[in-house]
């Protein structure tokens, strides 16, 4: 064998090796994607129902009641965020933060959940929130309509598991999402449930081939679940400031690992 | 075959391969040449495609307008402003790709597969002007246009699966109401419930056709039975219709209603087991349109009630669902074909509307023929879906 042939053969082997590793998307994904849509549809029905009650409390000037409904209402939104945020206009009007506006909280354009949150907790008042509440309810209703009509892109669904964990890592671990109410652990729960649902739905497709991967992912999910559970209070969670530094670190590590691991899920299912 | 394998770019895949390539390069370092070249371009990261850098400042982005070839592309976004930001590629209001929560002073990269078209890109603060991203066709995007990969059909098939599940649930729910009304001997309510239960059935009739045993029991006509209406095997919807309209009575119908409810419940479970391929979705709807043109529209199916128009409309709704789900793919492959399909559906709908709400017995032959021709034309147009999407 000449040197040249040897090189050629090696290069060829490498290329073939790569082709064998590249996964191809199959129609086995149809069922999990359909099931996911049904899951999202149910969450949206709940979101519209809860937002109706929440905005009614805001409009009635009932600060305490509105405060008690804020976090539970957001739960369904946070669980389906990878799909909910596909519509940029509604994502902005429902869930944008003050940072996105030139004058931050003082900006008249600042809308949605966080604008109301700011009013209820920071200003302790519902003053001026009636139009914001009306707009929010109209927006989540429109979101439900659009998502019902949407054909879900499979890569966004499967990629959504990592997106949710990245979201937690970037904004919940730091407590900056719900900075006025400190109800971040509720949102965290919503993101967690949404990510876990996606893994559950695609699990049968990779159970055999990716047993080790799933074992690691499950262990980290269990760690997050157990840590979060320590902070349960009634139907929900204590405020974010009650989280110990030690648990914050445990959560941060597990969530970052999950975000990284789950980012390979698309590739494993041939959706890259 | 994955899409990336079809890419014309010189190297196959990705970083996972890199350690291998590097090890190989080390072993055969002296060999140099070809292998060195291979390792070098692999290290550059072919999985990312071409890499573009974008810097987001306080008020503007650099560059603000980009032009790239379709396929895998990577954007490295540097946040040079003093606030956390997100960077998005938008198609209308839809987010195509995005990177969120990029901290001030940090960079983040985004890799995506882009289809040809013109997109908008956001640039930091919501009040900042948006940029544009033009994606030009490439050899691989052209090939996918003419023959979309399996992946492209997952979304439409999932959506169709949800449609079938929703309609079969509605069928069970409406049939339960019918069964209740029969037990209560309430003729008027039973007639209304009959009409309501038929609609979800008709919307998914093209898939139900795959489950012959249940279809015969649920929707069989007396014509095909030896003793016709007097045959003990005459059961299901039309047996109930016969009682409610020909005899104007609910007498003896309660057990028929119970059996029908059991059958549609079993049908719902059986439908869940069905796994459709892309061509099945098109073929099912196509055959349904053809059957309507050759039989149901000419002779009617509800012999005793003579109520047909709402059922034809429900059939069309189901057919249109299959077509509409394929439309984005068809449109990319052939805009003319997509338009012809849309027109054919509208034309058929108009012909159904023209039937009015009276007895189908009073609809003249030429109106029936015109509707039959419309369904036949729709079936013919649907054949072209398969050819433009390379399904044959």
């Amino acid at each position: 064998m000449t040197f040249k042939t040897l090189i050629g053969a090696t290069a060829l082997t490498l290329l073939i090796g790569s082709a064998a590793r590249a996964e191809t998307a199959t129609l086995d994904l149809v069922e999990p994607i359909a099931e996911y849509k049904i899951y999202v549809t149910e969450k949206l029905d709940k979101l519209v129902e809860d937002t109706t009650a929440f905005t009614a409390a805001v409009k009635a000037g009932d600060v305490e009641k509105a405060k008690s409904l804020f976090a539970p209402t957001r739960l369904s939104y946070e669980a389906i965020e990878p799909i909910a945020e596909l519509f940029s206009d509604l994502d902005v009007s429902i869930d944008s933060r003050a940072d996105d506006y030139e004058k931050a909280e003082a900006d008249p354009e600042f809308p949605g959940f966080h604008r109301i949150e700011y009013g209820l907790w920071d200003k302790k008042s519902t003053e001026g929130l009636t139009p914001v509440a009306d707009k929010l309810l109209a927006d989540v209703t429109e979101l439900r309509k659009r998502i019902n009509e949407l054909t879900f892109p499979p890569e966004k669904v499967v990629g959504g598991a990592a997106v949710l964990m990245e979201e937690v890592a970037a904004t919940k671990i730091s407590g900056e999402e719900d900075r006025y109410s400190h109800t971040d652990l509720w949102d965290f729960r919503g993101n967690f449930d949404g990510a876990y649902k996606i893994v559950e739905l695609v699990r049968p497709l990779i159970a055999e081939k990716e047993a080790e991967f799933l074992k690691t992912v499950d262990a980290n999910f269990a760690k997050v679940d157990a840590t979060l559970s320590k902070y349960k209070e009634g139907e929900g969670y204590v405020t974010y400031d009650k989280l110990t530094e030690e648990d914050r670190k445990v959560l941060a590590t597990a969530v970052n690992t999950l975000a990284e691991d789950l980012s390979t899920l698309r590739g494993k299912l041939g959706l890259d | 075959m994955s899409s990336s394998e079809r890419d014309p770019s010189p190297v196959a895949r990705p970083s996972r391969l890199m350690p291998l390539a590097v090890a190989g390069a080390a072993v055969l370092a002296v060999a140099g040449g070809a292998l060195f070249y291979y390792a070098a371009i692999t290290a550059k990261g072919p999985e990312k495609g071409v890499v573009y850098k974008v810097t987001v400042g306080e008020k503007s982005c650099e560059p603000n307008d980009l032009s790239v070839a379709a396929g895998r592309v990577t954007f490295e976004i540097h946040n040079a402003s003093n606030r956390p930001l997100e960077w998005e590629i938008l198609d209308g209001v839809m987010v195509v790709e995005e990177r969120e929560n990029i901290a001030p002073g940090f960079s983040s990269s985004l890799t995506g597969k882009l289809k040809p078209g013109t997109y908008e890109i956001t640039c930091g603060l919501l009040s900042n002007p948006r940029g544009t991203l033009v994606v030009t066709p490439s050899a691989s995007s052209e090939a996918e246009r003419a023959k979309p990969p399996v992946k492209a059909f997952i979304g439409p098939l999932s959506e169709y699966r949800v449609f079938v599940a929703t309609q079969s649930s509605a069928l069970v729910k409406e049939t339960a109401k019918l069964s209740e009304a029969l037990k209560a001997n309430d003729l008027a309510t039973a007639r209304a419930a009959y009409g309501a239960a038929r609609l979800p059935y008709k919307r998914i009739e093209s898939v139900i056709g795959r489950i012959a045993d249940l279809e015969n029991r649920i929707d069989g006509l007396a014509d095909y039975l030896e003793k016709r209406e007097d045959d003990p095997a005459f059961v299901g919807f039309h047996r109930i219709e016969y009682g409610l309209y020909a005899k104007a009575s609910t007498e003896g119908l309660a057990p028929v209603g119970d059996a029908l409810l059991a059958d549609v419940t079993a049908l719902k479970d059986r439908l869940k087991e069905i796994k459709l391929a892309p061509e099945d979705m098109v073929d099912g709807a196509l055959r349904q349109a053809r059957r309507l043109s050759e039989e149901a529209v000419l002779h009617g199916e509800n012999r005793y009630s003579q109520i047909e128009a709402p059922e034809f409309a429900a059939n069309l709704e189901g057919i249109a669902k299959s077509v509409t789900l394929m439309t984005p793919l068809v449109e990319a492959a052939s805009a003319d074909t997509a338009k012809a399909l849309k027109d054919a559906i509208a034309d058929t709908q108009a012909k159904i509307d023209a039937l009015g709400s009276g007895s189908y017995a009073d609809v003249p032959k030429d109106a029936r023929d015109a509707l039959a021709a419309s369904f036949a034309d729709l079936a013919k147009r649907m054949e072209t879906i398969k050819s433009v999407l390379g399904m044959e």
Side-chain angles (χ1 to χ4, degrees):
Chain A
M1 192 185 262
T2 67
F3 236 84
K4 216 171 167 183
T5 332
L6 181 65
I7 297 161
T10 313
L12 191 66
T13 311
L14 288 168
L15 283 167
I16 289 167
S18 103
R21 278 155 174 266
E23 302 294 339
T24 305
T26 71
L27 294 180
D28 288 341
L29 276 161
V30 169
E31 194 176 337
I33 304 293
E35 288 301 316
Y36 186 67
K37 173 136 196 188
I38 293 168
Y39 170 79
V40 171
T41 307
E42 286 165 0
K43 293 281 175 199
L44 283 165
D45 288 344
K46 180 92 171 91
L47 176 67
V48 172
E49 188 191 317
D50 291 349
T51 306
T52 305
F54 170 60
T55 53
V58 170
K59 288 171 70 177
D62 192 339
V63 175
E64 284 317 305
K65 187 172 181 196
K67 281 169 93 169
S68 73
L69 295 178
F70 173 76
T73 299
R74 287 180 56 76
L75 204 56
S76 351
Y77 184 84
E78 292 291 319
I80 59 165
E81 219 170 350
I83 296 298
E85 67 186 13
L86 285 180
F87 296 98
S88 63
D89 56 338
L90 294 177
D91 184 32
V92 164
S93 64
I94 293 170
D95 199 35
S96 58
R97 284 174 279 152
D99 309 298
D100 301 326
Y101 300 88
E102 211 168 338
K103 295 179 192 152
E105 281 85 357
D107 204 303
E109 299 288 310
F110 178 39
F113 273 121
H114 296 303
R115 172 66 188 87
I116 296 178
E117 181 200 3
Y118 172 66
L120 294 175
W121 271 272
D122 218 75
K123 302 263 177 201
K124 301 177 175 54
S125 155
T126 58
E127 205 192 314
L129 292 181
T130 292
V132 185
D134 283 337
K135 178 78 167 47
L136 178 64
L137 181 57
D139 287 336
V140 298
T141 308
E142 170 69 12
L143 181 69
R144 173 170 69 174
K145 179 173 167 280
R146 286 199 209 164
I147 292 178
N148 280 343
E149 288 164 6
L150 178 72
T151 297
F152 284 15
E155 65 279 6
K156 297 286 182 210
V157 174
V158 173
V163 168
L164 283 162
M165 287 298 109
E166 280 165 21
E167 174 83 18
V168 171
T171 66
K172 270 79 175 186
I173 295 284
S174 59
E176 63 183 79
E177 172 90 29
D178 302 314
R179 63 186 67 167
Y180 321 108
S181 65
H182 306 295
T183 55
D184 305 76
L185 293 180
W186 287 75
D187 286 16
F188 193 147
R189 183 81 227 180
N191 289 157
F192 175 89
D193 289 347
Y196 191 69
K197 180 74 186 179
I198 294 167
V199 172
E200 280 306 283
L201 288 174
V202 299
R203 184 184 295 273
L205 276 59
I206 53 170
E208 228 168 273
K209 247 175 132 179
E210 301 286 351
E212 280 305 306
F213 166 81
L214 285 170
K215 217 169 121 188
T216 313
V217 166
D218 285 341
N220 279 310
F221 269 135
K223 201 179 288 174
V224 173
D225 190 38
T227 313
L228 265 184
S229 295
K230 285 162 64 178
Y231 295 92
K232 261 195 99 103
E233 185 185 68
E235 293 292 296
Y237 292 87
V238 299
T239 50
Y240 185 78
D241 45 285
K242 306 257 177 24
L243 188 67
T244 65
E245 182 56 23
E246 196 186 336
D247 281 337
R248 201 189 63 79
K249 276 186 190 149
V250 170
L251 287 174
T253 310
V255 164
N256 277 307
T257 313
L258 276 170
E260 204 168 303
D261 287 349
L262 293 175
S263 70
T264 64
L265 202 53
R266 268 170 57 157
K268 292 186 195 304
L269 289 161
L271 292 171
D272 263 347
Chain B
M1 189 191 242
S2 86
S3 51
S4 64
E5 284 167 68
R6 219 180 278 131
D7 273 335
S9 54
V11 194
R13 275 175 90 90
S15 50
R16 255 187 302 188
L17 186 60
M18 207 180 106
L20 263 179
V22 173
V27 172
L28 291 168
V30 281
L35 190 56
F36 174 74
Y37 168 74
Y38 178 71
I41 46 177
T42 303
K44 230 166 61 187
E47 192 186 34
K48 292 180 154 192
V50 184
V51 179
Y52 295 86
K53 287 183 199 283
V54 178
T55 300
V56 184
E58 296 296 342
K59 294 271 177 193
S60 64
C61 288
E62 181 55 45
N64 206 37
D65 299 311
L66 285 157
S67 178
V68 308
R72 195 165 299 283
V73 183
T74 293
F75 297 97
E76 276 179 18
I77 305 112
H78 177 66
N79 183 358
S81 77
N82 60 9
R83 306 169 186 243
L85 60 81
E86 62 178 3
W87 191 83
E88 298 173 324
I89 300 174
L90 301 177
D91 183 2
V93 295
M94 287 289 291
V95 176
V96 178
E97 294 292 346
E98 69 175 344
R99 210 82 191 92
E100 292 187 301
N101 306 303
I102 309 171
F106 282 79
S107 293
S108 188
S109 87
L110 176 165
T111 301
K113 203 175 157 201
L114 298 173
K115 289 183 186 150
T118 301
Y119 304 90
E120 277 193 318
I121 38 183
T122 62
C123 168
L125 277 183
L126 293 165
S127 50
N128 286 351
R130 286 177 176 175
T132 57
L133 170 67
V134 177
V135 180
T136 54
S138 64
S140 64
S141 73
E142 284 299 291
E144 288 197 359
R145 209 163 66 89
K147 188 171 173 47
V150 166
K151 184 178 139 184
F153 293 101
I154 295 170
L157 286 168
S158 308
E159 193 59 19
Y160 192 66
R161 193 179 163 88
V162 173
F163 178 72
V164 172
T166 310
Q167 296 305 322
S168 57
S169 294
L171 172 62
V172 172
K173 207 172 123 192
E174 299 296 338
T175 305
K177 286 186 197 162
L178 171 61
S179 164
E180 284 306 308
L182 293 174
K183 279 184 194 145
N185 286 316
D186 183 343
L187 182 65
T189 306
R191 283 182 173 177
Y194 174 83
R198 294 284 293 168
L199 302 181
Y201 184 88
K202 288 285 156 181
R203 288 189 195 109
I204 52 173
E205 195 174 13
S206 66
V207 194
I208 295 171
R210 301 168 77 93
I211 305 174
D213 56 335
L214 287 176
E215 189 191 27
N216 286 336
R217 283 218 298 276
I218 294 170
D219 196 34
L221 297 177
D223 308 17
Y224 303 111
L225 300 168
E226 203 184 336
K227 296 183 191 161
R228 304 185 61 95
E229 280 85 0
D230 294 327
D231 202 300
F234 183 43
V235 292
F237 272 127
H238 295 297
R239 172 67 188 88
I240 292 170
E241 183 209 351
Y242 174 64
L244 296 178
Y245 289 89
K247 308 215 161 190
S249 158
T250 57
E251 205 192 317
L253 293 182
V256 185
D258 280 342
L260 178 64
L261 181 56
D263 281 340
V264 295
T265 307
L267 180 72
K268 183 184 163 187
D269 292 333
R270 294 268 293 276
L271 284 169
K272 266 192 207 158
E273 303 301 316
I274 290 185
K275 291 186 170 144
L276 297 178
E279 55 273 26
D280 295 334
M281 192 166 103
V282 179
D283 281 336
L286 190 160
R287 278 198 294 268
Q288 182 66 43
R290 212 174 270 153
R291 268 199 306 272
L292 281 157
S293 78
E294 289 166 2
E295 292 163 41
V297 170
L298 301 180
H299 314 297
E301 269 189 354
N302 293 298
R303 301 294 154 69
Y304 323 105
S305 72
Q306 292 295 331
I307 299 169
E308 301 289 357
E311 297 196 10
F312 294 153
N315 274 138
L316 180 62
E317 215 180 302
I319 293 167
K321 185 78 189 179
S322 312
V323 174
T324 311
L325 289 173
M326 291 291 191
T327 296
L329 295 172
V330 174
E331 205 147 46
S334 160
D336 287 349
T337 304
K339 187 178 179 306
L341 277 161
K342 202 176 159 212
D343 291 348
I345 290 169
D347 174 65
T348 312
Q349 183 65 55
K351 297 243 166 47
I352 294 171
D353 293 344
L355 295 176
S357 55
S359 166
Y360 199 62
D362 298 334
V363 173
K365 185 172 178 301
D366 56 347
R368 295 183 185 206
D369 287 347
L371 178 57
S374 248
F375 271 118
D377 178 59
L378 179 55
K380 217 170 72 194
R381 304 253 173 228
M382 290 179 71
E383 287 280 0
T384 59
I385 295 180
K386 294 197 290 177
S387 56
V388 299
L389 295 183
M391 286 178 176
E392 294 162 323

